[in-house]
Amino acid sequence: MAVLVLIISALIWPALCDDTYTIDVLMPEVTVTQADQYFCTSVKLAAKDGFVVEFKPVVSMDRVHHMILYGCSRPGSRSQTWDCGSGSAPCSAGTKIMFAWARDAPALVLPKDVGFAVGPSSDIDYLVLNLHYGRPLDVDSSGVQLVLTPQPLPYHGGIYLLMASRINIPPRSESVKVDISCLYSDKEPITVFAYRTHSHTLGRVIAGYRLRGDNYTEVGRASPQWPQTFYSLPKPVELRSGDVVMARCTYDSDRDSAVQVGSTSRDEMCNLYLMFYAPAGDSYRQCFDNELPDKTSHMPAESLAVPPRPILPTKPVPTIPGQLPKTSEDDFDSGERERNHRPLTLVLAKGFAGDVNLGQVAGLAVDQSGALWAIHRADRVWGGSTFDENNVFTDARDGPITSPVLVQLDKDGHVVRSIGAGVFYLPHGLFIDGQNRVWTTDVALHQVIQLDMDGKVIRKIGEELKPGTDENHFCKPADVAVLPDGRIVVADGYCNSRIVVFSPDGKFIKQIGSAGTGNGQFQLPHALAYAGDRIYVADRLNGRIQSVDIEAGRVTGVIPVSQCVSEVFAVAASKDGRIFVACPKVGFVMDVNGTILANFEGMNSAHDLAVTRDMLFVAEIGPNRILKFLLDAPIETHSVVATNATEAPIHDNSMWTSLMIMLLLTIPVVVIVVGAIVVRLRKGKRPRLDLGQFLSRDRTGFEKLQQESDSEVEEYTVTPPSKA
C-alpha cells in the first residue's frame, strides 16, 4: 500500500502544481436570423505574455458550420459582435490564424514545449472568434476554450497557409489541378509537424511538398473529403531559406457549369495549412497562387492519388457550464466508435452495368433471388429549375420518361430485363419486398409507386404532381421500405422531413418525426433500410443515421457519422447486423452500435446502396454509374437486433471489478489531495486540480500532435496582396 501511495502521489502532485489557466472565447448570446450568417466577437488579452497549449471547442455542428480563431493586434470592430461576412473583417491589424474547427472536432493538444504565443511580446493583443452559422438560432454562445501557460516555452507554434485565389474547374471534368508555390526566403528555418487540407465537395486530394535542390519531400497529403483535421507528419520537415514550398489541389466535377473560387458550398477552395514550430519569429505566413510554375510542373505523380486514410482517436467535446446547452441526450448514442479497419476492395472501378446507358442512378435494390435492380433517370436531370418555389415540378408538360428506367442486372452487370417505360417523371427511391414486388418513389410526381416484375403498375400512394403535408400527400418522397407484415414506410424527405407509415392497403397509420436537428427529428430523411426490428434512416443534412422503432413510433437511437465531410446520403443493412453508410465520396461499414468495421472509397457522388451476400453496390449521380465492392466477410443469414439506445445498457462483469479497484484507490488519493491542498494553502497558493491536463501532457521533448477529426464545407478565403 505504501508503494501505491507513493505512485499516486507522484502522479497527483504535478497536477496540483500545474499553473495553466483558461480563457473562454465565446459568442455573447447572439441571435442568428438566417443561414450562412457570419458573426465575430473579440476578447482583449491581459497585458501579460502566455502560450496557448490546447484548444477546446465549445460548439456543435448542428449550430455552427465552422469556426476560426484569429490573433490580432486590433480587432475589426469595437462592437461586442459584428457581421464579419459582408461587413468588417475579423481583424483590422495584425491578422494571424491560430485555430480552425468544424464538424464536432474535439480538442487540439499541441506537442510538448510548443505553444502559440499571445500577449505584448507577440503583437497579439486580441483574440477574435469568427463563426459561420448553418441555420437561424434564437441564442448562441458557442466558441472555444483556450488552455494557456504563463511559463515561457522554447518553441513557438505557427500556421503557414498556402492558398489559391484563382480556380476554374470546367463542367464535368476530372483531375483538374490547381497549384500553389512560393520561395521560402526567411533567414530563420521553421519545422512543419502537422498539416490540414481544405476544399469543398469537388476536391479529391490536396498534397504539399518541399523542394530542396531536385528533391521533393512530402509535407502532407490527404483527401479533403476526410475529416479536415491537423494530421501529424510521420517525421517533421524543416523549411529553410531557398526551399520551395508548394501544394496541389485536384478536383473532379460532375456539375454542368464551371466552378470558381469562393466561400459558399457551390464554390471551391484550395487551402493547405502547415502547422510549424520555431524558436521565435512570425507565427503566421502565407503563400498565394503559383509563383514558380516550372517547379510545380514536376510535382510527384502521387500528388494526384488519395493516400490510405489514417485512423484518428476521438475525445468528447467539452462544455463550459452556463455557456452552451448540451446538444445530445443521454438516451442517445452520440459517440463516434472508430477502430482500426480496412477498406473494401473495389471490384469494378469503371462501373457496373457497362452495357446500360445510365442516366442519374437514383436507387438500388436486391430481389429475392439476389439479383441487383437499379432505377435511373435516362436523359432527365434534376437541376436548379426543376421545381418552383412551391415544390411543383416545372417540366410536367414533357410527360413521363419514355424509356424503361428500371433494370435488372445479372452478376456480371448485364441487363436481364428493363421495365418502367412511361411511368416515372423523376424517380428516386427503390425497394423490392418479400414477394418480389417493386416499390419506388418519384419526387416529381410526389408519389409512391408499386409495380410487378413485368412493369405493371399495381398501386400509387399520393396525389399525382401535387405536393402536400397532410396524410394523403407527399412532398418529394425520397425512399420507401416495406415491412414483413406489409406495412409501408416512406421517407417523405425533401420538404416534410418526416417518416410516414401506411397499412398494407395504403391507409395512413402514423407520422414519425418532424423537421429539425434534435434527436428524433430529421433534416431530409433520404434513405431507408430495414434489419432486425428497426428501420434505419439516413438523416442526410444532419449527417447521421437514426434507428426508428415503427411499433413505438419513435426514434430509439442515433449513430453520428462525423467522418463524413458533408451529408449522409444512403444506408443499407444486412441480416447479420452490419450497417452500410455512404457519404458522397466515402462510405463505412458499421455494427449496430456504430463501431466502424470497414470503409469503402472511390466514389465521387454516392447516392444509394444495395447489399448482396458478398457484394456491396453503390449508385452514383455524376458520374452516372454503379460501383461494385467485395465484402470482407459474406453476410450471414441470422439476424442481429439493433441496440435500443433507450434501454438500460448491458454491463460487462469486469466493470464491477474495476469499480472495486477504484474504490480501494480512492482512500490514498484523498489523503494525498487533502495533504497537498493544505500545503498549498499554507504557502498562500490557490489549489488547482486538472486531471485531464496532467494525463494529456508533460513538458519534456516532442510528441506527435494530439488531434481529433473535424471537417467543413466553407472556411477561409482572402484576397491576395497586390503585387508591387
Side-chain angles (χ1 to χ4, degrees):
M1 179 61 71
V3 174
L4 181 61
V5 169
L6 289 174
I7 293 173
I8 295 174
S9 176
L11 291 173
I12 295 297
W13 187 259
L16 292 169
C17 298
D18 188 5
D19 57 359
T20 59
Y21 60 98
T22 61
I23 296 177
D24 300 336
V25 188
L26 305 171
M27 201 59 67
E29 297 188 346
V30 297
T31 298
V32 183
T33 59
Q34 62 187 23
D36 291 324
Q37 197 165 1
Y38 287 77
F39 277 105
C40 280
T41 190
S42 66
V43 172
K44 182 173 176 56
L45 294 169
K48 64 177 183 179
D49 291 331
F51 287 85
V52 181
V53 295
E54 185 172 0
F55 300 87
K56 295 182 177 181
V58 188
V59 61
S60 62
M61 65 178 287
D62 70 326
R63 304 170 74 84
V64 174
H65 205 273
H66 74 258
M67 168 175 67
I68 298 176
L69 181 70
Y70 296 88
C72 309
S73 57
R74 188 167 63 249
S77 172
R78 295 184 180 272
S79 301
Q80 185 180 28
T81 63
W82 66 94
D83 177 358
C84 51
S86 56
S88 299
C91 303
S92 60
T95 305
K96 298 178 180 180
I97 294 178
M98 297 177 63
F99 179 67
W101 172 98
R103 292 275 178 176
D104 284 345
L108 166 65
V109 182
L110 297 182
K112 302 169 188 175
D113 295 330
V114 176
F116 280 79
V118 297
S121 298
S122 69
D123 294 329
I124 294 180
D125 301 316
Y126 292 85
L127 298 172
V128 174
L129 179 71
N130 177 357
L131 297 185
H132 172 201
Y133 287 96
R135 62 184 177 91
L137 296 169
D138 292 335
V139 62
D140 184 70
S141 300
S142 301
V144 61
Q145 183 182 74
L146 309 183
V147 179
L148 301 92
T149 177
Q151 301 300 325
L153 296 180
Y155 295 97
H156 294 203
I159 298 291
Y160 194 161
L161 175 60
L162 284 73
M163 177 188 302
S165 65
R166 294 183 292 273
I167 297 174
N168 183 37
I169 305 171
R172 298 197 172 275
S173 55
E174 293 186 358
S175 299
V176 178
K177 298 185 291 292
V178 174
D179 292 342
I180 307 165
S181 63
C182 290
L183 182 68
Y184 185 82
S185 56
D186 289 9
K187 293 181 180 179
E188 298 298 326
I190 61 175
T191 302
V192 178
F193 63 91
Y195 65 96
R196 182 175 184 267
T197 65
H198 176 71
S199 78
H200 295 174
T201 58
L202 301 184
R204 178 207 300 172
V205 63
I206 297 176
Y209 294 90
R210 179 199 69 185
L211 176 61
R212 179 175 290 174
D214 295 327
N215 297 318
Y216 289 84
T217 301
E218 187 173 281
V219 293
R221 182 161 54 103
S223 168
Q225 307 310 321
W226 297 343
Q228 295 176 8
T229 182
F230 280 99
Y231 295 95
S232 295
L233 287 172
K235 182 179 179 181
V237 177
E238 181 195 54
L239 295 179
R240 65 180 185 225
S241 182
D243 290 341
V244 177
V245 59
M246 61 184 67
R248 169 170 289 169
C249 299
T250 304
Y251 303 91
D252 300 311
S253 176
D254 61 337
R255 299 184 190 170
D256 294 323
S257 57
V259 177
Q260 280 81 37
V261 69
S263 62
T264 75
S265 59
R266 296 297 297 174
D267 302 317
E268 267 303 338
M269 286 186 178
C270 175
N271 295 354
L272 176 65
Y273 295 79
L274 301 179
M275 186 174 283
F276 65 86
Y277 62 78
D282 190 1
S283 63
Y284 184 61
R285 293 167 167 81
Q286 293 178 328
C287 172
F288 288 101
D289 298 322
N290 194 10
E291 295 183 357
L292 303 165
D294 58 318
K295 305 297 185 183
T296 56
S297 62
H298 301 290
M299 205 177 298
E302 60 263 26
S303 65
L304 303 177
V306 179
R309 181 178 175 179
I311 304 301
L312 294 172
T314 59
K315 294 180 182 178
V317 178
T319 58
I320 298 175
Q323 296 294 336
L324 181 65
K326 191 175 180 181
T327 57
S328 61
E329 299 176 9
D330 293 337
D331 287 343
F332 288 82
D333 182 2
S334 60
E336 180 192 341
R337 304 166 189 82
E338 185 168 339
R339 66 186 185 189
N340 291 333
H341 54 267
R342 59 182 180 274
L344 300 184
T345 301
L346 179 59
V347 179
L348 288 176
K350 295 297 184 182
F352 193 62
D355 58 350
V356 184
N357 186 17
L358 294 172
Q360 293 181 331
V361 187
L364 298 175
V366 177
D367 65 22
Q368 296 306 303
S369 70
L372 179 71
W373 287 71
I375 191 165
H376 65 101
R377 297 171 183 159
D379 58 356
R380 190 160 292 179
V381 175
W382 187 347
S385 60
T386 301
F387 294 88
D388 66 16
E389 64 276 9
N390 298 314
N391 295 302
V392 175
F393 184 56
T394 57
D395 296 326
R397 62 185 179 278
D398 295 337
I401 300 171
T402 56
S403 57
V405 294
L406 262 168
V407 293
Q408 181 188 26
L409 305 167
D410 65 18
K411 62 182 180 63
D412 297 316
H414 301 304
V415 175
V416 176
R417 74 176 81 184
S418 300
I419 61 174
V423 175
F424 301 99
Y425 282 63
L426 205 62
H428 197 279
L430 179 62
F431 183 86
I432 298 177
D433 66 21
Q435 283 71 48
N436 268 345
R437 292 172 298 199
V438 181
W439 296 79
T440 66
T441 65
D442 192 302
V443 291
L445 290 171
H446 306 286
Q447 287 183 312
V448 173
I449 303 172
Q450 180 190 10
L451 306 90
D452 63 20
M453 286 285 179
D454 295 322
K456 179 182 177 181
V457 175
I458 302 172
R459 176 190 307 170
K460 294 184 178 182
I461 305 175
E463 186 176 357
E464 184 174 304
L465 296 170
K466 300 289 185 182
T469 61
D470 58 24
E471 299 177 359
N472 301 312
H473 291 84
F474 302 114
C475 187
K476 300 180 191 171
D479 204 7
V480 59
V482 180
L483 305 184
D485 63 6
R487 283 178 296 173
I488 306 157
V489 183
V490 181
D492 191 13
Y494 281 89
C495 318
N496 295 328
S497 288
R498 62 179 180 174
I499 304 299
V500 190
V501 185
F502 296 87
S503 66
D505 58 358
K507 291 184 172 58
F508 176 86
I509 297 177
K510 68 179 74 172
Q511 171 182 321
I512 301 172
S514 60
T517 60
N519 295 319
Q521 294 183 309
F522 304 99
Q523 283 200 99
L524 207 175
H526 192 259
L528 302 174
Y530 177 75
D533 60 350
R534 295 288 185 271
I535 285 283
Y536 293 94
V537 183
D539 189 5
R540 177 172 156 179
L541 298 183
N542 283 330
R544 62 190 180 185
I545 303 296
Q546 298 202 62
S547 62
V548 178
D549 185 331
I550 299 298
E551 295 293 340
R554 61 187 177 90
V555 171
T556 58
V558 176
I559 303 175
V561 192
S562 58
Q563 301 92 340
C564 283
V565 169
S566 51
E567 305 157 16
V568 176
F569 273 74
V571 61
S574 61
K575 293 181 179 180
D576 61 358
R578 279 181 276 179
I579 308 298
F580 302 81
V581 179
C583 321
K585 296 179 184 290
V586 64
F588 303 94
V589 185
M590 302 177 172
D591 65 16
V592 292
N593 296 312
T595 300
I596 296 178
L597 309 175
N599 67 288
F600 50 98
E601 300 180 357
M603 303 91 71
N604 191 61
S605 54
H607 194 260
D608 199 19
L609 298 173
V611 182
T612 64
R613 185 178 181 276
D614 57 357
M615 291 291 173
L616 169 69
F617 296 92
V618 182
E620 288 200 87
I621 291 181
N624 302 324
R625 61 180 181 174
I626 302 170
L627 298 182
K628 178 180 177 181
F629 294 86
L630 177 67
L631 295 183
D632 54 357
I635 292 174
E636 303 298 333
T637 56
H638 68 281
S639 297
V640 176
V641 178
T643 300
N644 188 335
T646 61
E647 297 174 353
I650 299 173
H651 298 285
D652 191 289
N653 291 332
S654 63
M655 175 178 142
W656 298 107
T657 303
S658 300
L659 286 175
M660 292 300 297
I661 293 173
M662 290 175 62
L663 288 173
L664 290 173
L665 291 175
T666 299
I667 296 173
V669 170
V670 170
V671 172
I672 296 299
V673 171
V674 172
I677 290 175
V678 170
V679 171
R680 288 180 65 85
L681 287 174
R682 287 180 177 178
K683 291 182 178 180
K685 296 182 178 181
R686 180 182 177 185
R688 183 176 185 275
L689 175 62
D690 186 352
L691 292 179
Q693 192 60 217
F694 105 84
L695 287 172
S696 65
R697 313 183 73 250
D698 67 39
R699 296 289 180 184
T700 58
F702 284 103
E703 285 183 349
K704 283 190 174 182
L705 182 75
Q706 298 180 43
Q707 167 65 39
E708 296 76 35
S709 61
D710 80 329
S711 58
E712 60 211 294
V713 177
E714 301 172 24
E715 194 175 273
Y716 177 68
T717 185
V718 67
T719 303
S722 58
K723 305 284 185 180

